[in-house]
Amino acid sequence: MSDQIKSRERVQEHGEVFTNPREVNAMLDMVKQETERIESRFLEPACGTGNFLIEIIRRKMAVVAQRYRKSLLEYERYTFLAASSIYGVELLEDNARECRSRLLKFVDGEAARAFKDKVEPALHDAVSFVLERNILCGDALTLKASDGEPIIFSEWSLATGDRVKRRDFRLDELLEGSNKQPSFAQLTWDWDEEIHAFIPAPIREYPLCDWREVRACG
Ligand SMILES: C[S@@+](CC[C@H](N)C(=O)[O-])C[C@H]1O[C@@H](n2cnc3c(N)ncnc32)[C@H](O)[C@@H]1O
């Protein structure tokens, strides 16, 4: 089997044919500026083992390394931001798991390359938690997670200093919100001038906390 195919059965049952790096790069180059913006959010609805997401994090982390190579604290903070801006949905649990561990290994490797053993273990733990929340096993057609509940994604935004704000949204509402006027029951949704769409209200907001403590805050 090639790198693009795990088995004939998986191709037949799930259309599982992975995209090769040359095509991934050509497609991402169409939105090159966004892939190099550290906080720019990407969602891949059938992410497989993460061929697109790994290239996106590679591009973002190249910018982080170039901009913050002189300050470990800034490097760690913006690495957290880069990792927390990447989202995926994947039907098969083994692929979702592989995707998370590939991304985490890549982030760990880049951080070690930039700052060797000075990197705080908290970075590994925080990125690991964020990837558990951001790369979900579920169905991108029904927008349900593997437990049958609606897919819920967390938005992570850096506030002042090292503090991060987490807000949870239902994916079905986010997708619906961009297409139509909110109904009467959804009057709390905000109009976003920049993207010209209604943004649904979060289903849950968390208190600000240090990025190193996101696992405990969740
Ligand atoms: C053609 S592969 C592409 C994987 C990856 N995007 C890439 O380019 O390498 C399609 C992937 O979508 C997954 N998949 C199929 N149906 C899905 C669904 N309804 N929701 C989420 N993922 C799905 C498959 O398991 C497979 O990993």
Side-chain angles (χ1 to χ4, degrees):
M1 291 288 155
S2 74
D3 284 351
Q4 289 180 262
I5 289 172
K6 284 187 178 172
S7 75
R8 232 171 256 124
E9 294 72 36
R10 289 171 71 115
V11 176
Q12 278 162 4
E13 283 169 32
H14 305 291
E16 189 193 70
V17 179
F18 301 117
T19 311
N20 70 40
R22 199 188 55 191
E23 285 157 357
V24 167
N25 275 295
M27 288 169 77
L28 291 180
D29 282 347
M30 295 166 86
V31 287
K32 190 164 187 289
Q33 268 189 320
E34 287 303 311
T35 61
E36 291 169 353
R37 215 157 60 77
I38 299 169
E39 67 275 33
S40 180
R41 295 191 178 96
F42 282 82
L43 164 63
E44 202 192 343
C47 66
T49 57
N51 286 359
F52 280 88
L53 300 181
I54 199 93
E55 178 56 24
I56 294 167
I57 192 81
R58 194 192 66 70
R59 291 178 182 210
K60 284 167 174 261
M61 285 199 67
V63 176
V64 173
Q66 187 196 21
R67 232 177 252 173
Y68 303 110
R69 62 176 174 266
K70 297 212 172 111
S71 161
L72 174 61
L73 286 182
E74 298 262 70
Y75 180 90
E76 289 177 332
R77 184 189 305 141
Y78 285 99
T79 294
F80 174 84
L81 186 62
S84 64
S85 67
I86 284 171
Y87 298 84
V89 178
E90 166 57 42
L91 195 63
L92 303 178
E93 180 57 52
D94 61 342
N95 283 347
R97 207 179 316 117
E98 189 176 335
C99 180
R100 281 183 220 114
S101 73
R102 256 180 106 187
L103 291 167
L104 182 60
K105 196 169 161 202
F106 181 80
V107 170
D108 283 345
E110 287 300 290
R113 209 153 62 90
F115 282 95
K116 307 216 161 45
D117 56 2
K118 293 196 195 103
V119 183
E120 299 172 75
L123 182 64
H124 172 90
D125 191 51
V127 171
S128 169
F129 177 68
V130 158
L131 292 173
E132 283 163 32
R133 291 281 323 121
N134 284 18
I135 310 294
L136 296 181
C137 184
D139 188 325
L141 296 176
T142 61
L143 304 178
K144 300 264 170 68
S146 52
D147 60 5
E149 294 296 317
I151 291 176
I152 292 166
F153 276 128
S154 301
E155 173 199 70
W156 315 88
S157 327
L158 276 188
T160 46
D162 284 338
R163 296 198 304 169
V164 64
K165 177 79 184 164
R166 172 179 168 189
R167 301 192 306 161
D168 288 356
F169 293 88
R170 277 176 62 144
L171 180 59
D172 54 0
E173 289 190 351
L174 283 172
L175 296 176
E176 185 191 14
S178 56
N179 292 329
K180 63 169 206 162
Q181 288 271 121
S183 67
F184 182 73
Q186 297 160 330
L187 283 177
T188 52
W189 291 16
D190 292 328
W191 174 254
D192 187 311
E193 273 302 333
E194 201 179 326
I195 59 169
H196 283 264
F198 282 97
I199 303 293
I203 58 163
R204 190 164 170 199
E205 293 202 40
Y206 296 76
L208 282 174
C209 80
D210 191 296
W211 64 260
R212 297 167 189 81
E213 285 155 18
V214 279
R215 190 183 287 279
C217 290

